[in-house]
Amino acid sequence: MTTTLRPVPAVGAVDPFSPEVLGDPLPFHAALRDAGPVVPLSRYDGLYGMGRHADVHAALVDWQRFCSGAGVGLSNFRREEPWRPPSLLLETDPPHHDAPRHVLAPILGPRALRRLQGPWFAAAEEHVEDLLADAGPGETVAVDAMPALAESFPLRVFPDAVGIPREGREHLLPYGDHLFNAFGPSNELVAKGAPHVAEHAAWVNAQCRREVLSDDGFGAAIWAAADRGDITGEQAPLVVRSLLSAGVDTTVHGLGAVLRALATHPDAWARLRHDPALARVVFDEAIRWESPVQTFFRTAEVDVPVGDTVVPEGAKILMFLGSANHDPRRWTDPDRFDLTRDPSGHVGFGMGLHQCVGQHVARLEAAALLAALAARVERIEVAAEPTRHLNNTMRAFASQPMRLHLGQAPS
Amino acid sequence: MPGTTRAAPGTGTVGEAVDRLVVTGMSTAAQDVVSLTLTRPDGGRLPDWAPGAHIDVTLANGETRQYSLCGDRWDAHTFRVAVLRETDGRGGSAFVHDELAVGDEVLLGGPRNNFPLAPSPRYLFIAGGIGITPILPMIHQADLVGADWTLLYGGRRRASMAFLDDLAVHGERVEIVPQDEAGLLPLGTWLGAPRGDTVVYCCGPGPLLDAVEHAMTGAGWAPHRLRTERFTAAEVGAPVRDEPFTVELARTGTTVVVGPRLSVLEAARQAGATTLSSCERGTCGTCETTVLDGLPDHRDSILADHERAAGDCMFPCVSRSCTDRLVLDL
Ligand code: HEM
Ligand code: FES
């Protein structure tokens, strides 16, 4: 194939995984979008980047030409050995993707989750009660929202819902953190996690066995599908592993995002308190705004023309979900968290065949926690600027010091 | 194609219901079997599907029929279905054979899949008559994953059996049994000994399915080794309407008229409801809405038959109304 050489836009020479860009990606995203629908990213051999909403959306749904089976990280599984056995969902194309997805979607679907609604709302209330202890209306409670809410609430409800034992749950967050780092290049973030990953992975893998799982959780439902022959007995533990890999850190940072949004937008908090049904829009707007999962890669299955560039067969393309969610071609005043906008169509949960199968779980966790907070907290105030936690894939906070001003329950 | 100007669904720029397809090809697949190709009017991507999936097709005479998809899912722009002229010669199948023409529009529901291909090292496919349609993409898929397979395909006469040419390339793996030449399918021979490595996929008329089930039970096969799809001529729910209907948003009392080219989701938004959506294709489940009154016309890929029948929720990005009025919890 011949391609005309064209000057590489300056933004193409920037390392999207440098601490500077990971710490503050918006300026890089803006430059990337302005440089074109697809831009060579010369820091990595043969890599392209896509940052505009229309193109990212179109590529995500086009699984025929933008495949996942060669890995959704920088590493090309057709040339390099993956660091763990590939995911049967995330890192698989049709036809292999079909059966695991067909099994998992109803297990995590809105109708199946109705059974968890009551228990999770009650758990959130209890969680917030414990946190606020005896403080009453008019008083203020200082918290770091990351450990106290965003991390501890999902860790309280989600592993139980999967059905894993209590012992050892401290492995979950560092496992997920490393997994999401490992989609990027093997930079310092990956090096930092590498020494411990074997230990975390061994624990996670051990929780996926039938004997270890409770008999009423998502895990048991996955094994029941294996008993019916809908997936194989070899597939079942890997499908359970997908929940433990993709379902913890993502929601932690999703909740971190919505708490940041509400602490910095008191008007939005006030509206939510008076109309709890807004929780869904609040959460999805926060997912758009912050995009806790920033990027995933695809691999070109054939030569794909995009604009006036041809992405050659075998090339990796980095999909900037966060950039698509801030594309002014799609969103008005995109960098603003705005409760009056309709965030529908954001790609923070992906789009197409691989779109997040756990999105309803994430939304339910958020709705439960926000309802419990809204019942007690009149105003959320930023006590100190948050600190970021850098990760090659996720946009995350390490800490968010806040003051919760307690009030009467909203009328 | 990325980079072109066609707005993607979910971008909020598409107000039009996405459920209209155009007939772009018709050809004879066998005596009394016509094969149709369908595309979107703008040539855009069709919804994703997997072998075993069917679509609901609503014809201009108001009837809705279910047809298994039997084309190539790697071609995201074309659906293929095959339609048998039913023996009683009435209704939807006669309409397709006698009235439908290239260029005509039909309405789409789904795809949905009640007959998915479960992973297995070996498959035995058994098709009766037009029941061959869901089996064709299954065979392709079995080849792709390197599974071992055989097909037993029965029909009244050779001339009435569709896709024999397509199947010829598979040689010995396929056994064609026209009833007028060779009698009934030799189920006893094929199913005599249960196998732990094989899943049997059977599609065809009721009596064939019953016979296969009987043979397998008798021989001691584990029940989950048989997967069937029953072909019935039964119609799907109430007749679908192409005329406007009204949607009432219960929380505000607002009423809005939904014309044929507007989705319920878009109509609700125009009436001031905040309804979260994502895929706008009836696959992700984000826009699920409680139905308080009226009968939804389900066109999503999510609900199982019993959930559809309950009629208490719908996906307004694609689903519509069978009744004049639909009251939603919005
Ligand atoms: C706010 C929270 C979450 C965010 C932002 C998020 C984001 C994403 C994104 C962007 C994808 C698409 C990946 C791709 O296209 O390559 C995805 C897929 C996936 N997510 Fe989530 N996720 C969240 C929560 C969850 C939860 C709670 C679970 C489990 C219960 C989960 C399980 C999965 C799985 C298994 C996949 C792969 C699906 C497939 O490939 O078919 N996620 N997620
Ligand atoms: S928006 Fe996905 S089902 Fe309606």
Side-chain angles (χ1 to χ4, degrees):
Chain A
M1 195 200 70
T2 54
T3 41
T4 32
L5 285 179
R6 63 184 74 252
V8 174
V11 63
V14 174
D15 179 1
F17 299 99
S18 65
E20 296 70 37
V21 174
L22 293 178
D24 179 17
L26 297 193
F28 169 78
H29 288 166
L32 180 75
R33 288 188 303 262
D34 288 345
V38 66
V39 179
L41 297 176
S42 60
R43 290 297 284 262
Y44 300 96
D45 202 22
L47 178 65
Y48 290 78
M50 256 189 201
R52 295 184 187 172
H53 184 274
D55 300 287
V56 169
H57 190 293
L60 287 175
V61 300
D62 188 354
W63 57 266
Q64 286 93 343
R65 295 191 299 171
F66 293 97
C67 78
S68 293
V72 295
L74 181 61
S75 158
N76 188 328
F77 292 176
R78 289 176 190 157
R79 293 200 289 266
E80 293 168 69
E81 173 87 5
W83 72 274
R84 57 169 204 170
S87 163
L88 298 183
L89 288 130
L90 189 65
E91 296 160 324
T92 308
D93 296 312
H96 296 282
H97 180 261
D98 299 343
R101 179 83 192 195
H102 195 86
V103 160
L104 198 50
I107 293 175
L108 303 178
R111 278 169 312 290
L113 295 183
R114 279 180 200 159
R115 146 187 100 79
L116 289 175
Q117 187 153 356
W120 281 13
F121 272 69
E125 242 173 70
E126 211 178 286
H127 196 80
V128 169
E129 286 306 313
D130 292 350
L131 183 67
L132 303 180
D134 316 318
E139 292 182 66
T140 302
V141 177
V143 297
D144 182 342
M146 291 314 294
L149 295 166
E151 287 170 15
S152 50
F153 181 62
L155 283 174
R156 178 178 187 138
V157 294
F158 183 71
D160 281 349
V162 177
I164 62 170
R166 285 187 182 277
E167 190 79 13
R169 289 182 183 181
E170 66 279 2
H171 288 287
L172 286 169
L173 286 176
Y175 176 74
D177 192 51
H178 184 74
L179 168 69
F180 281 100
N181 273 326
F183 292 121
S186 49
N187 55 16
E188 273 173 30
L189 292 170
V190 175
K192 221 165 53 186
H196 304 288
V197 63
E199 185 193 326
H200 300 313
W203 180 85
V204 165
N205 293 340
Q207 310 316 302
C208 302
R209 301 204 317 267
R210 182 204 294 264
E211 322 76 84
V212 176
L213 291 159
S214 72
D215 55 14
D216 60 352
F218 302 145
I222 290 166
W223 276 101
D227 292 339
R228 290 193 305 272
D230 294 345
I231 50 174
T232 67
E234 292 80 56
Q235 290 178 317
L238 281 170
V239 176
V240 179
R241 192 193 69 178
S242 284
L243 302 187
L244 300 179
S245 312
V248 188
D249 301 64
T250 47
T251 42
V252 166
H253 298 298
L255 292 174
V258 75
L259 291 168
R260 173 73 183 159
L262 292 167
T264 49
H265 296 79
D267 49 326
W269 180 249
R271 282 192 60 192
L272 173 66
R273 283 196 85 207
H274 289 281
D275 185 2
L278 276 177
R280 280 169 64 78
V281 177
V282 169
F283 184 60
D284 267 66
E285 169 64 355
I287 296 299
R288 181 201 67 80
W289 183 60
E290 183 73 7
S291 301
V293 174
Q294 286 273 302
T295 46
F296 269 119
F297 293 76
R298 292 292 189 263
T299 309
E301 193 70 66
V302 291
D303 288 351
V304 187
V306 181
D308 51 10
T309 305
V310 174
V311 178
E313 179 193 340
K316 284 272 175 177
I317 309 106
L318 185 45
M319 307 280 159
F320 288 90
L321 310 179
S323 170
N325 286 341
H326 284 252
D327 183 357
R329 294 160 190 80
R330 170 62 181 82
W331 313 95
T332 313
D333 204 356
D335 298 347
R336 240 174 79 94
F337 175 84
D338 181 359
L339 247 195
T340 61
R341 97 164 75 237
D342 181 352
S344 298
H346 72 73
V347 291
F349 288 118
M351 198 54 73
L353 216 56
H354 292 278
Q355 194 187 26
C356 184
V357 70
Q359 61 184 299
H360 309 291
V361 174
R363 291 194 182 110
L364 184 59
E365 285 182 33
L369 187 63
L370 293 181
L373 284 170
R376 295 286 309 275
V377 177
E378 184 154 39
R379 193 158 59 85
I380 306 177
E381 187 192 358
V382 175
E385 277 312 297
T387 47
R388 286 281 171 189
H389 169 80
L390 297 194
N391 181 284
N392 281 333
T393 302
M394 285 184 298
R395 184 134 172 83
F397 291 105
S399 91
Q400 289 200 64
M402 289 179 182
R403 275 189 289 270
L404 308 179
H405 297 267
L406 308 197
Q408 307 289 352
S411 49
Chain B
M1 181 199 303
T4 58
T5 49
R6 190 178 69 77
T11 55
T13 48
V14 176
E16 194 165 303
V18 291
D19 57 1
R20 257 158 229 280
L21 299 185
V22 181
V23 179
T24 49
M26 294 183 79
S27 63
T28 304
Q31 202 171 36
D32 286 335
V33 180
V34 59
S35 162
L36 306 181
T37 52
L38 304 167
T39 64
R40 285 186 52 178
D42 64 358
R45 272 188 78 90
L46 289 164
D48 294 319
W49 61 281
H54 67 267
I55 54 174
D56 295 336
V57 173
T58 304
L59 302 161
N61 69 356
E63 279 189 43
T64 298
R65 295 285 155 143
Q66 302 189 334
Y67 300 116
S68 295
L69 290 168
C70 61
D72 175 10
R73 66 198 293 212
W74 272 266
D75 172 1
H77 303 271
T78 314
F79 279 161
R80 182 170 75 156
V81 297
V83 181
L84 168 72
R85 181 192 288 276
E86 280 150 29
T87 41
D88 62 6
R90 290 183 298 108
S93 73
F95 185 90
V96 169
H97 281 261
D98 301 335
E99 313 274 337
L100 195 69
V102 168
D104 286 355
E105 278 194 348
V106 297
L107 299 182
L108 166 73
R112 287 192 296 150
N113 200 338
N114 302 327
F115 195 40
L117 193 61
S120 171
R122 195 169 171 279
Y123 299 100
L124 168 55
F125 299 113
I126 303 178
I130 195 67
I132 190 65
T133 49
I135 303 295
L136 282 184
M138 288 187 180
I139 285 174
H140 180 228
Q141 182 136 319
D143 274 344
L144 275 179
V145 301
D148 190 11
W149 62 269
T150 41
L151 165 66
L152 185 57
Y153 177 18
R156 293 224 173 80
R157 296 174 311 280
R158 200 171 281 274
S160 70
M161 296 173 70
F163 305 118
L164 291 181
D165 291 349
D166 297 20
L167 291 168
V169 299
H170 298 294
E172 300 253 293
R173 284 173 180 264
V174 178
E175 184 165 331
I176 308 286
V177 188
Q179 199 176 336
D180 62 348
E181 298 170 24
L184 293 175
L185 291 178
L187 295 180
T189 322
W190 284 60
L191 295 169
R195 294 183 58 144
D197 64 350
T198 302
V199 183
V200 180
Y201 276 79
C202 179
C203 184
L208 172 66
L209 269 53
D210 295 340
V212 168
E213 193 175 343
H214 185 76
M216 288 180 71
T217 312
W221 288 75
H224 74 260
R225 301 231 157 252
L226 172 62
R227 313 243 161 167
T228 59
E229 184 153 79
R230 208 165 274 268
F231 261 51
T232 57
E235 279 179 32
V236 201
V240 168
R241 48 187 305 133
D242 209 14
E243 315 98 68
F245 50 92
T246 61
V247 168
E248 194 178 314
L249 310 179
R251 294 190 199 172
T252 55
T254 320
T255 295
V256 56
V257 176
V258 186
R261 303 223 168 232
L262 195 65
S263 70
V264 173
L265 179 72
E266 201 50 40
R269 280 185 181 147
Q270 287 178 7
T274 330
T275 318
L276 206 58
S277 69
S278 181
C279 70
E280 303 201 350
R281 280 286 170 99
T283 55
C284 75
T286 301
C287 69
E288 183 174 309
T289 300
T290 301
V291 177
L292 301 171
D293 199 10
L295 192 62
D297 168 14
H298 297 289
R299 287 167 179 275
D300 63 85
S301 307
I302 303 166
L303 295 178
D305 286 338
H306 68 278
E307 294 170 320
R308 286 187 160 201
D312 58 351
C313 73
M314 71 182 285
F315 299 90
C317 62
V318 290
S319 295
R320 307 182 64 78
S321 181
C322 297
T323 43
D324 290 342
R325 181 167 153 274
L326 206 55
V327 184
L328 302 179
D329 185 17
L330 285 176

